Amino acid sequence: MKIGIVGCAGRMGRMLVNETAKTAGCEVGGGTDLAGSPFIGKDVTLIAGLEESGVLVGDDPRALFEAVDAVIDFTAPAATMNHAKLAAETGKIHVIGTTGLSNDQKAELKVAAKTATIIFAPNMSVGVNLAFALVEKVAAILDKDTADIEIVEMHHKHKVDAPSGTALGLGEAAAKGRGVDLDAVSVRSRDGHTGARENGTIGFATLRGGDVVGDHTVVFACEGERIEITHKASSREVFAKGAVRAAKWAEGKAPGLYSMRDVLGI
Ligand code: NAD
């Protein structure tokens, strides 16, 4: 399977090139980065810390989509939306890890998925996707008037969106378990005289600093007891492994919008 990596010079991009190169049955079919980037024209595998392959970083995503079987995309929301259109036009597999997409952009992915096989997951790690399933289950069991749900996340200081896509995914899992709409119940920040906590809301708290890869805790705070479901990623490799696994899973699948839970069968 030929896999192309858009944003191949990025932190995740290099990791994805590495993971693709070492996965049996997969080869790095090409890579792009932002036009004007100093990495354009450099060797894709060399900048990922591997041997030179002669495959050079390009800035033409259409040519990449046409040349490969699947494209893995950990870039930025506007770039990802453009890539999804190209996936729809070429009918290719598009694995999306980019976070920070707006609701409108997520709706546009559904349109692109009519002719492309898209796997979109705010977090590609197996452990986090298990946490999504557990959170949904716990939220369905606990009464919303007695269990207060708070989601705390911490990431490295370079992260540009907040709360993290994973924190929002955990919020969506909790809301799904409760049979409510996250947008209607989420509290994304608190400052000053906020008044008492409203029953049924789902709160988010964001921490940023250092080189933290990604920590998430969902707290179910009840009277007299507290349940906490925590996931801590210590290496970005888990996200890259999940993304390559998703690309392989998608081979031969009908067009549609899939999640990592589909890939893992949970
Ligand atoms: P990064 O800034 O290191 O890398 C992003 C790369 O994309 C850069 O090289 C940038 O030049 C490139 N890029 C931007 N626009 C582009 C375009 N139009 N065409 C081609 N390349 C373009 O960031 P990162 O830490 O690698 O994270 C990238 C994204 O992945 C973020 O949204 C992050 O939140 C997300 N992420 C998701 C997961 C997951 O499991 N789903 C895990 C980690 C990071």
Side-chain angles (χ1 to χ4, degrees):
M1 185 179 207
K2 271 193 180 177
I3 298 182
I5 316 292
V6 284
C8 65
R11 278 180 291 261
M12 279 306 303
R14 293 166 201 234
M15 200 58 104
L16 288 158
V17 168
N18 257 285
E19 194 57 37
T20 301
K22 72 179 188 208
T23 302
C26 296
E27 67 174 285
V28 180
T32 63
D33 211 278
L34 196 56
S37 151
F39 291 101
I40 305 298
K42 297 258 178 357
D43 193 281
V44 170
T45 46
L46 194 65
I47 62 166
L50 303 171
E51 303 259 297
E52 212 166 334
S53 59
V55 178
L56 305 181
V57 182
D59 61 3
D60 180 358
R62 180 178 290 277
L64 182 68
F65 271 90
E66 281 167 358
V68 299
D69 304 304
V71 168
I72 306 182
D73 181 346
F74 284 59
T75 56
T80 292
M81 297 322 295
N82 181 40
H83 296 144
K85 282 200 187 89
L86 294 173
E89 283 166 29
T90 54
K92 296 290 169 79
I93 295 165
H94 188 194
V95 177
I96 304 173
T98 307
T99 62
L101 267 61
S102 68
N103 286 341
D104 285 351
Q105 288 173 322
K106 287 181 195 166
E108 272 179 54
L109 287 187
K110 285 192 189 142
V111 178
K114 287 184 180 152
T115 51
T117 304
I118 299 183
I119 295 117
F120 171 54
N123 193 308
M124 300 263 174
S125 97
V126 174
V128 157
N129 285 281
L130 276 173
F132 285 156
L134 290 171
V135 165
E136 187 181 325
K137 198 152 205 165
V138 175
I141 294 168
L142 296 175
D143 177 31
K144 76 173 170 47
D145 290 330
T146 54
D148 298 326
I149 303 179
E150 294 285 311
I151 300 171
V152 188
E153 60 107 333
M154 180 159 190
H155 281 86
H156 55 89
K157 61 185 172 193
H158 305 290
K159 186 161 177 64
V160 294
D161 54 316
S164 71
T166 305
L168 292 170
L170 288 163
E172 269 158 21
K176 192 168 171 212
R178 281 189 166 173
V180 296
D181 175 20
L182 180 64
D183 288 340
V185 297
S186 77
V187 175
R188 301 271 288 257
S189 64
R190 296 187 181 103
D191 188 23
H193 186 81
T194 59
R197 191 184 196 284
E198 207 181 304
N199 281 351
T201 52
I202 296 177
F204 290 85
T206 299
L207 284 73
R208 291 284 175 267
D211 61 355
V212 178
V213 173
D215 292 357
H216 294 87
T217 296
V218 180
V219 182
F220 295 87
C222 314
E223 290 293 324
E225 62 184 352
R226 200 161 75 228
I227 299 163
E228 295 185 356
I229 296 174
T230 295
H231 178 272
K232 292 185 181 184
S234 47
S235 160
R236 286 190 176 81
E237 211 180 326
V238 293
F239 310 127
K241 276 189 192 307
V244 174
R245 182 168 170 170
K248 287 179 82 178
W249 174 88
E251 204 167 18
K253 291 277 184 307
L257 184 57
Y258 300 95
S259 73
M260 207 54 198
R261 282 172 75 171
D262 296 317
V263 174
L264 301 172
I266 48 174

